[in-house]
Amino acid sequence: MTKLPTRFRQVYDQVYKKNNLFGIDQKLKPNPLLSKDKRKNSVAVAGGMLGDEGKGRVTDELTAYFLRNKNHNKVIHYRDNGGANAGHTVEVGEVRIALHQLSSGVLQPGCVVVAGKEMVLHPEDLVLEINHVLKATGKKSLPATLVIDEMAFLCLDTHRAFEAVLKMHSRGSKGATGRGISPAYADVIYRHPLRMRDLVSRNWKKKLEQHYQLYQNWVKGFGYELAEIEVPRLEGGNIKLGTLKQMTTRLERSRQVLKPYVKNVYQLIETHWPKKTPFVFEKAQALGLDRRWGVYPDVTASNCGFDGLLSSTEGLVNPDEIAVKCAVIKATYSSSVGARQLPTAMTGPLAEKIRQDANEYGATTGRPRDIAYLDLPMMSYLFEVGQVDYLAVTHLDISYPDTPIKVCLNYQIDNQVVNYRPDQNFLDQVEPIYFELPGWNGQEAAEAQTIQDLPQQAQQYLAFISQALKTKLLLATTGPKRKQTIRWW
Ligand code: IMP
């Protein structure tokens, strides 16, 4: 183990030798969500590392907080990027359902769930998800109000088929979820995307035909037949994409179901942003998967940062005005699905134990997730470029009293300290330098009801991490149940 670099030594000495917790043992005062300097009642949440940090739990808690306040009769829960590549599981009574394109706000009456302009939506999967929610709640309509931006892009089976072909030809696509995300965004750059408004328009069949033809030609160029390519289904397994007629028939059904939800979201935001209506912005995926900041080439195609809200709302929402910009991380480790090779990858029995204890298997693909040590150089970079100011920490129960927590403090190349760079070739060369911090009894953390109930080592760890990342703590979760949540506001 290494000597502590100077910039961490002071914090370490304060926290671990003097038990100075930098205020994390107190609630935040004043409540930052009600900040007068920013747009009151607004909060944005992003994944702080490589996805699957538990953003759904955090946005759920925030939405419920606003809805409990009698001054508000609605909360706008706005998501603006990604599509069926995302995934989290929610519990409705005894039933567990996986949500991909819908955010968890869909289960809360009073919530207006917006699928925003820069999402790439797969209509058939979306309808299935809506049906799952209806079945689980036993209702004829969704608990929340769903609004789909008429300008949101379509992500169709053609995109999934093309991605399947690309996977055989390009290294960059290897880790992708196979949900067609990157080809759907590429259509936007090529300036021929299909949008939700096209799907619900009268001449949609003509537009679909042109689109199908284009993809058929492209795929033929690689030596494949579009109709024969297998594409994944939400329920698991694959189907052959089929002919234009078959694809049209499948889409016809979804189109009818989705039509009533397709609206002008610009007007909705224009009306509510200048008022006090609470807004919870949810960025899908994570800062470390963003096409600019992630481990290139295994990145997703969308903008996963708060800055994306400026473009998806066409300038109506300036991210600098949002009262709280919060990144979510897992407390003692991070996880990754895809083809990237992390310098801090953890192998051996501890990785397997964490995978089992925290159920680290993909909600979208079921793949076992890679487990890695906490990587401060990468996180510091992501938090800096992502303009993060608050921190939510999940899985505080994943710690073992006799196992120190290894944290990567620096990278080195030839004994020189280097920063994180968003590039796999570069990261292949770095040597992570670790330091060990004391672990705690995860079971004890799981039972904590208040900040003060947390084991002292957990409090110290939170103080150290939040100082190292120059953020303030907003929330921590100590287990999978909703009530296992500790709030700092
Ligand atoms: P794509 O988004 O399907 O293009 O996949 C690009 C990369 O992002 C792959 O490494 C995926 O595994 C990863 N990825 C995309 N969405 C998620 C997510 O919600 N959680 C974790 N990884 C994701």
Side-chain angles (χ1 to χ4, degrees), residues 38-83:
K38 305 259 177 165
R39 179 7 178 110
K40 200 174 164 183
N41 300 324
S42 64
V43 52
V45 178
M49 264 302 265
L50 294 156
D52 310 309
E53 296 92 351
K55 290 179 293 290
R57 272 285 291 286
V58 178
T59 52
D60 216 30
E61 184 68 25
L62 288 158
T63 305
Y65 161 76
F66 285 124
L67 284 172
R68 274 198 299 272
N69 185 325
K70 289 191 187 63
N71 295 328
H72 309 303
N73 58 5
K74 68 163 71 117
V75 170
I76 299 187
H77 190 141
Y78 180 92
R79 171 175 163 193
D80 73 331
N81 71 305

Side-chain angles (χ1 to χ4, degrees), residues 50-52 85-86 175-177 181 285 289 298-300 337-338 340 367:
L50 294 156
D52 310 309
N85 50 348
T177 58
I181 304 299
Q285 281 71 56
L289 295 173
D298 195 7
V299 293
T300 195
V337 262
R340 70 192 71 79
R367 287 185 282 187

Side-chain angles (χ1 to χ4, degrees), residues 1-5 407-410 412 432-436:
M1 255 352 95
T2 179
K3 239 179 82 188
L4 265 177
V407 176
C408 170
L409 298 178
N410 270 326
Q412 287 189 2
I433 307 298
Y434 292 105
F435 192 77
E436 287 184 347

Side-chain angles (χ1 to χ4, degrees), residues 171 295-297 413 421-430:
R171 173 179 163 232
V295 183
Y296 192 86
I413 297 180
R421 304 272 312 282
D423 172 24
Q424 183 72 68
N425 281 1
F426 174 81
L427 293 175
D428 286 346
Q429 301 167 50
V430 308

Side-chain angles (χ1 to χ4, degrees), residues 192-204:
H192 57 224
L194 290 177
R195 296 183 188 257
M196 266 295 161
R197 63 152 189 232
D198 297 317
L199 183 68
V200 298
S201 72
R202 265 205 233 133
N203 64 346
W204 73 282

